[in-house]
Amino acid sequence: MAKDKTMSGGSVWAELFHFGVYKQSQGRIARQLTFVVLAVGIALAAYRLWETMRLTPLPQWIPQASALETYLAIDHTLPLTLLLVGLWISFRVVCIPRFADFLIAVEAEMNKVSWPSRGELVRSSMVVIGIILVLAVLLTSFDLLWYTIFSALGVIQR
């Protein structure tokens, strides 16, 4: 499997301004899910920035009448610009050859996994929950036993 020399030899900065998609037919689901997670994080950060800027009062050095429109334009423009730049960077990050090859390998390995049936999943979950409850009762009883012993000896004050 030969690598595409035009896509695999560049730096990260060169990849951010490249418009092609590295091995676009491979690892689609892993790349799309990774992009969605990055995009949601960036969208939440941009929303939080917008909300913070909206609720922050104007500084004293800004003249109230003339620069209010500029301030309000920055209030919307800066978060929107950061959102768009962040979405572009997220899209390009999943196309960086080393990261894309990793995501392609992850998707290939996930296709090899034998997933349990619904019945198996329910039975296994019930066993795990049952063991957790038994251990919780056992640890609580040991804790009460040692508390009673140490209280009787006067090591612990009630």
Side-chain angles (χ1 to χ4, degrees), residues 4-58:
D4 184 6
K5 291 184 181 180
T6 60
M7 294 292 287
S8 62
S11 69
V12 173
W13 290 109
E15 279 300 316
L16 290 179
F17 299 109
H18 188 269
F19 290 100
V21 177
Y22 178 73
K23 294 183 180 179
Q24 72 181 28
S25 63
Q26 299 176 6
R28 292 185 87 135
I29 295 172
R31 287 193 213 193
Q32 288 171 352
L33 288 176
T34 303
F35 170 74
V36 166
V37 169
L38 290 171
V40 166
I42 288 170
L44 288 173
Y47 173 73
R48 181 70 177 146
L49 176 65
W50 173 77
E51 192 176 58
T52 302
M53 289 180 75
R54 185 175 56 91
L55 296 176
T56 304
L58 283 172

Side-chain angles (χ1 to χ4, degrees), residues 6 12-13 21-22 28 34 42 52 59 69 72 74 82 92 96 111 117 124 127 132 138 140-142 145 148-149 158:
T6 60
V12 173
W13 290 109
V21 177
Y22 178 73
R28 292 185 87 135
T34 303
I42 288 170
T52 302
E69 293 84 16
L72 292 176
I74 291 173
L82 291 176
R92 294 311 310 159
I96 293 175
N111 289 332
S117 66
S124 298
V127 167
I132 288 172
L138 185 66
T140 302
S141 62
F142 279 137
L145 173 74
T148 305
I149 291 172
R158 290 187 182 183

Side-chain angles (χ1 to χ4, degrees), residues 103-148:
L103 292 175
I104 291 168
V106 166
E107 187 169 327
E109 289 299 318
M110 291 303 287
N111 289 332
K112 295 177 187 177
V113 172
S114 60
W115 298 99
S117 66
R118 184 176 180 91
E120 262 184 303
L121 182 66
V122 168
R123 285 191 302 275
S124 298
S125 298
M126 295 307 283
V127 167
V128 169
I129 291 170
I131 289 174
I132 288 172
L133 290 174
V134 167
L135 287 174
V137 168
L138 185 66
L139 288 173
T140 302
S141 62
F142 279 137
D143 186 44
L144 290 174
L145 173 74
W146 286 110
Y147 180 76
T148 305

